[in-house]
Structure formats: C-alpha cells, structure tokens
C-alpha cells in the first residue's frame, strides 16, 4: 500500500485511509505462503511503515497499521514512492518473492508534483511485472492515475468522491487484487488450472448477490457476422460465472438494430443449460443502431413491475456496441431515465467507430465503461465485468438502506464567497472568480434552495488620502498610516453583519455558509481570528488555502469546526478550478 500523507490530505482523511487498508486486509489469506502486506506513506518524503516480511498474521498487520503516523508535509512525490516500492519494498531481503504476484495499491487525492517523472516510474514499475491498482480520491487526478495504473485501466483505477467513501470499494478492490495473474511457475504448464481457480473465486464471490442482468446486444449491419458470434460467445462465458436461477441471478437478452427484439425476458424460467442453448441460436438482425430505442425498451418492458421479484435485487444492463446511435438525443434522454431509476448500465464499445463521449453518457460512471480496440479484447474484461456486476448489489443495498430523499443542495443555503481582491491581485482574482463560477454551476440555485453571493473588497473612502495641501511631512505620513491593511477582517465583518438577509417568513431555517479563499497569513491575524469566531457563531466557515504561505495554526483558528473537514488546500492557483468538485463535496457534506 502506498498512502498519500501530504499536506492536502487532512489528518482525519489519513485515518480513513488506515481504516480502508485494514478492511482490505481483512479479505486476504495472510501468511508466508499466502499474501504478504507492506505499507509506506509518502508526501515530499518517503516513510517505510513496515516491510512485506515483518508480519505474517492478519491481526499483527492491522495493529501495525493503527500505529502509522501522519506526515503532513508539502508535496506529493508519487514518482519517488513508486521507485522506492519497486527497488526497496519488493526487494528479496524485505520479503519480495520471485514467484509471487506483485501488487501496488496506490491511494492519493492529488496530482503528483512531477507528472513526467511519475509516468516514467510507473512504466518502469509495470515493466518489472509489478501490477499497479490506483485509488483516486476526487475526479481531477483520474487522468494521471489512468496513466499510472496497469492495463486495462477500467479495472485498475478506482474513484471515490472523498476519503469517507473508501469503504464502498473495499470488496471490488480486494477481489481485483486476488484476480491479478499469478507469476508462471513452469513454462510447460498451461493456464487452464489458473483460469479455473480464478473463475471459481468469482463464482463464489457472486453466488450470494441477487441480480437482474439484461444484455443489450447491438445487432446492426456494421457488425460482421463472425464478430457477432464473438459477442454471443462472450455473453455465454459471462453467464457461466453467475448462479442462474429465479431467486438468484436472472438473465435477459435483447437484440437491437432499427428495431428491438427480445430473446429472453428477465422472468424466464429456463435453467442455465436451456438459457445458453437459446442464446447460442440467436441470429443477427441487421439494420441501423437505435440505441435509444433499446434503452427505452429495457426500462419499460424488462425492468418494470411485471418482471419484478419479491426479494431485493440489483438491476443491471450490459450493453455491447460497435458504433454510434442513430438518434443520440434519444439515447441521452433514455440513459438519464435509467440512472434516475437506479438501473446500473455497463457499456462495452468495440472498435474505432464508437463515440466515446456518447458511451460515457450511457454508462453509469467511468468504471462502467469499456473501450476496446477489437473483439479479441473481450476476453480481457470478462472476469472484472462479472465482479463489478456483483458489486452493484452491495451499492444497491447501501442506497436502499438510505432513507434520505434530499440531496445536499436541496437543503436551503445562503452561500457567500469571500476573498480579498486588492491583496490577492488582479490575475489571481480572475482565477478565483473562475472557480466560483464553476462552483455556482454545481449548486441547485433557486429562491427556495441555494442562493449565492460574492464579497471581494471593502474600501471605505473616509480614510483615503486625497490631493491635499499638507502642512508638513509628518501629517502626510500619519495620513498614509491610516490606510486600511485589514481587508480580510473587514470582509468578515461585512459577511457577519450585512451579507446574509433575514428571511423571517421562511419556515425551514436557511444554512449560512462562508467560503474564504486565502493565500497568505494576515498581518493582523489576531483581529481576523476574532472576527472569524464571531462570524462562526451564526455561519459555517470553510477555508480554501492556496500555495504554501498560509500557516496551519491560522487556518485552524479561522475554521468553524476543526474536528470536521472545513479546510481544503490547493498547492497552486493553476490547480484551483480542477479541484472545484472536491471543494463543493466538502462544503456540501461536512
């Protein structure tokens, strides 16, 4: 495990990483002849927490994880961490075994401080037959981690919105780790035994997860008949890994081209053998690609009350296509409706004629989208597709147990963005305004929901120095000294006293939120802190720190409630806009 312990990771978030490591380890068979675990932390420095051969007992590993200290230093040296892991952690004297699968699980919430170096070290690591699984906490770093992770990245990169969401990927990450190919022990042996063992693991993993799975298969003229048979064979192999029965996994198959042709409805009573015989004998339709029509048919005619079951089950569509839909607007509309009804859609695009942006809108998330070069690549995604399909059930259960109907921004809020524009400067103020614009787009704006405003400067005229006939040098200097240098304090006072309107007729209380942008320590920090404390009595304050010129104690004092996350650190102004979704998640759910 490579754990990001840089300044951008809050201490409470680092604790979430440690909990996550222990949860993943709980899924392993730990021992000298089984799985060995090592952990290092990194920021601008590398800290070895323990090597692979230090502990051979699961409880001992978890106890050692509890003792790992938070570094809290600036910088994210991902390249250095990968190099150290490859050269030191996997070294023979520290427990590296020649015939063991070697796996790095990298967890980070920020871009590395040298992307080129990170790319080079990732490539060297993969060339050394070390598999890299990457966990991205927040969307902005996905592109870098897709470059770092092993192929296929759809199976090797995991994304969560924040550290508190890490538990949602424990099962799929642990299973992915176990599915990493073994190092071949004898060149004369075939892979048949290994394949059988892996598939048995998958079957066992999925046997207790009731699912309704509908295959939507593109049957248009653009697919060659031989390639259509490849899709059919792939479908059969995927079905083989499920426990098919009316009370466990139910399978449906629908072909589409210009029209939609159901082959098997979800409520069919066929056993596994009869099911596969029926699918083996399907024939290609030919014609255009009416993907929108196929999605609508699935929603209205398969996942409806007539085919529902008494026990809770996840609803999944696996769509395979080689081209673009004829009516993309209809496809987009139907994809949105499926998401609204909690139907998970996996999309497999094959070849270079697909529209990846369209497939992205159809898929439930980036981890539900596969873009394959050709039909031969279907075999490479089979196992993880099944694992992900089974994992939907756990996510489905979590959402079913959540009685809350309101989303975060449905709760009425008055949000004020605060930054001292004269102190920050014109160029940097423009970047902040751009970030605020992107934040505004993520809110549900309306008189009964969220309202927003900006407070960026306060320059009273009564202390300005005009063109005056001063009597002497001293009177001029005294006038200059009266110029205000307490911009942030004044802004906080205005925020507290004038910015939030009183809405006495509204029955539901409105949350008052202040988001402060800060890139340096204030000269009058005591007065600023005192004003912030007064403001925090009636409003929730969040602080966005930019750069390395803000002292941590000053941030702690400005923050409303330091026990919960209310500070977000961005290393430089150029990175501010890309972190907008993460900042808004902090504001929304803290």
């Amino acid at each position: 495990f490579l754990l990001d312990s840089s300044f951008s990771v809050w201490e409470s978030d680092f604790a979430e990483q440690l909990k996550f490591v222990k949860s993943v380890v709980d899924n392993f068979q730990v021992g000298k002849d089984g799985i060995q675990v090592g952990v290092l932390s990194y920021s601008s420095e590398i800290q070895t927490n323990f090597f692979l051969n230090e502990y051979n007992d699961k409880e001992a590993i978890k106890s050692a994880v509890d003792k790992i200290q938070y570094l809290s230093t600036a910088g994210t040296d991902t390249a250095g961490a990968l190099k150290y892991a490859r050269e030191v952690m996997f070294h023979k004297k520290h427990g590296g075994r020649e015939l063991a699968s070697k796996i790095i699980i990298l967890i980070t919430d920020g871009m590395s401080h040298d992307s080129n170096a990170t790319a080079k070290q990732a490539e060297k690591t993969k060339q050394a037959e070390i598999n890299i699984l990457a966990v991205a906490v927040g969307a902005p770093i996905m592109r870098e981690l897709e470059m770092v992770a092993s192929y296929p990245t759809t199976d090797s990169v995991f994304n969560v919105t924040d550290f508190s969401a890490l538990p949602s990927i424990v099962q799929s990450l642990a299973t992915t780790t176990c599915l990493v190919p073994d190092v071949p022990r004898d060149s004369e042996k075939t892979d048949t035994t290994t394949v059988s063992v892996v598939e048995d693991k998958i079957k066992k993993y999925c046997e207790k997860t009731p699912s309704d799975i509908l295959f939507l298969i593109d049957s248009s003229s653009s697919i060659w008949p031989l390639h259509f048979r490849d899709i059919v064979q792939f479908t059969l192999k995927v079905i083989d890994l499920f426990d098919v029965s009316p009370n466990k996994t139910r399978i449906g198959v629908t072909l589409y081209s210009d029209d939609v042709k159901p082959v098997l409805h979800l409520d069919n009573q066929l056993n596994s053998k009869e099911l596969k015989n029926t699918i083996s004998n399907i024939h290609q339709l030919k014609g255009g690609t009416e993907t929108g029509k196929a999605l609508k048919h699935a929603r209205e005619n398969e996942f409806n009350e007539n085919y529902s079951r008494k026990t809770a089950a996840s609803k999944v569509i696996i769509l395979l296509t080689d081209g673009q839909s004829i009516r993309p607007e209809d496809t987009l509309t139907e994809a949105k409706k499926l998401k609204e009804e909690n139907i998970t859609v996996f999309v497999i695009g094959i070849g270079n004629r697909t529209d990846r942006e369209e497939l992205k809108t159809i898929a439930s998330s980036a981890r539900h989208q596969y873009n394959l070069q050709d039909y031969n690549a279907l075999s490479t995604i089979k196992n993880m597709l099944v694992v992900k399909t089974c994992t939907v059930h756990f996510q489905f259960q979590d959402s079913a147990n959540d009685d809350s109907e309101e989303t975060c921004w449905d709760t009425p809020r008055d949000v004020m963005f605060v930054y001292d524009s004269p102190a920050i400067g014109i160029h940097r103020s423009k970047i902040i305004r751009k970030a605020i614009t992107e934040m505004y787009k993520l809110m549900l704006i309306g008189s009964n929901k969220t309202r927003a405003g900006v407070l960026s400067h306060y320059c009273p005229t009564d202390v300005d120095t005009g063109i005056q006939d001063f009597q002497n040098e001293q009177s001029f200097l005294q006038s200059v000294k009266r110029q205000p240098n307490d911009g942030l304090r004044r802004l906080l006072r205005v925020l507290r006293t004038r910015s939030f309107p009183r809405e006495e007729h509204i029955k539901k209380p409105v949350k008052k939120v202040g988001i402060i942008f800060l890139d340096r320590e204030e000269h009058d920090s005591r007065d600023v802190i005192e004003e912030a404390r007064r403001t925090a009595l009636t409003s929730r304050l969040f602080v966005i720190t930019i750069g390395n010129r803000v002292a941590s104690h000053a941030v702690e004092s400005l923050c409303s409630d330091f026990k919960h996350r209310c500070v977000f650190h961005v290393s430089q102004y150029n990175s501010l806009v890309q972190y907008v979704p993460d900042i808004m998640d902090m504001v929304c759910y803290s």
Side-chain angles (χ1 to χ4, degrees), residues 137-179:
V137 183
I141 55 171
M142 283 291 286
R143 184 171 297 177
E144 181 177 84
L145 291 191
E146 285 172 354
M147 172 187 64
V148 168
S150 297
Y151 180 84
T153 56
T154 314
D155 295 336
S156 300
V157 179
F158 300 78
N159 180 231
V160 292
T161 54
D162 54 39
F163 286 95
S164 63
L166 284 171
S168 66
I169 64 168
V170 166
Q171 299 237 8
S172 55
L173 179 65
T175 306
T176 304
T177 305
C178 294
L179 291 176

Side-chain angles (χ1 to χ4, degrees), residues 158-415:
F158 300 78
N159 180 231
V160 292
T161 54
D162 54 39
F163 286 95
S164 63
L166 284 171
S168 66
I169 64 168
V170 166
Q171 299 237 8
S172 55
L173 179 65
T175 306
T176 304
T177 305
C178 294
L179 291 176
V180 168
D182 293 336
V183 176
R185 296 172 182 268
D186 189 338
S187 60
E188 295 180 359
K189 292 183 179 179
T190 65
D191 294 333
T192 307
T193 304
T194 304
V195 170
S196 176
V197 169
V198 170
E199 291 186 348
D200 285 343
K201 287 181 181 179
I202 296 172
K203 288 178 182 178
K204 188 174 181 181
Y205 177 75
C206 293
E207 64 184 4
K208 295 181 180 179
T209 56
S211 304
D212 286 345
I213 303 171
L214 177 67
F215 288 85
L216 285 182
I217 299 175
D218 183 349
S219 187
S220 60
S221 299
S222 61
I223 299 177
W224 286 15
L226 286 177
H227 289 159
F228 182 76
R229 298 318 303 174
D230 289 336
I231 292 176
V232 172
Q233 290 302 312
F234 171 76
T235 304
L236 293 171
K237 289 176 181 178
V238 170
I239 291 171
D240 257 339
L241 296 176
F242 290 105
D243 187 359
V244 177
S245 72
N247 296 321
K248 292 185 178 179
T249 299
R250 300 194 306 182
I251 301 291
V253 177
T254 296
L255 304 180
Y256 73 95
S257 56
D258 288 323
D259 208 350
V260 177
K261 181 183 179 182
V263 177
L264 288 166
H265 291 296
L266 283 169
D267 66 341
N268 71 78
Q269 300 298 310
L270 302 181
N271 60 37
S272 182
K273 185 177 180 180
E274 293 168 335
L275 192 80
K276 289 191 285 185
N277 283 338
T278 303
I279 295 170
S280 297
N281 293 316
I282 61 177
H283 298 286
Q284 192 172 356
L285 299 178
K286 303 289 187 178
T289 309
E290 287 277 11
T291 309
K293 189 182 289 186
L295 294 174
K296 182 177 182 180
H297 170 86
R299 180 175 55 83
E300 294 182 348
N301 298 288
E302 296 294 342
F303 295 104
N304 61 17
E305 294 180 359
N306 294 333
Y307 295 141
S308 62
R309 57 165 88 186
K310 294 180 181 178
T311 56
S314 52
K315 301 174 182 178
V316 178
I317 290 173
I318 298 175
L319 185 146
L320 298 100
T321 183
D322 80 327
Q324 304 174 29
S325 62
I326 295 174
R327 295 178 177 81
E329 298 85 2
D330 294 349
T331 300
L332 176 60
T333 299
E334 291 302 325
K336 286 181 178 178
K337 290 180 179 179
L338 287 169
K339 290 173 185 176
E340 290 169 0
E341 297 189 18
N342 291 322
I343 299 172
T344 300
V345 182
F346 290 89
V347 179
I348 303 171
I350 310 165
N352 56 11
R353 289 182 294 181
T354 60
D355 182 346
R356 294 195 176 191
E357 286 303 312
E358 180 180 66
L359 299 186
K360 184 179 178 180
T361 62
I362 299 172
S364 294
S365 76
R367 279 188 58 76
H368 296 86
Q369 179 182 352
Y370 289 91
N371 301 298
L372 307 182
Q373 292 294 323
D374 52 41
Y375 290 85
N376 293 328
L378 283 168
S379 61
T380 67
I381 68 167
K382 171 176 65 73
N383 289 345
M384 273 312 301
L385 174 66
V386 174
V387 170
K388 288 181 184 179
T389 303
C390 298
T391 306
V392 170
H393 178 68
F394 299 110
Q395 298 166 347
F396 171 79
Q397 284 184 317
D398 291 342
S399 62
N401 293 332
D402 185 5
D403 296 329
S404 175
E405 294 183 358
E406 284 190 336
T407 62
C408 163
W409 293 107
D410 281 327
T411 305
R413 278 179 171 83
D414 283 346
V415 180

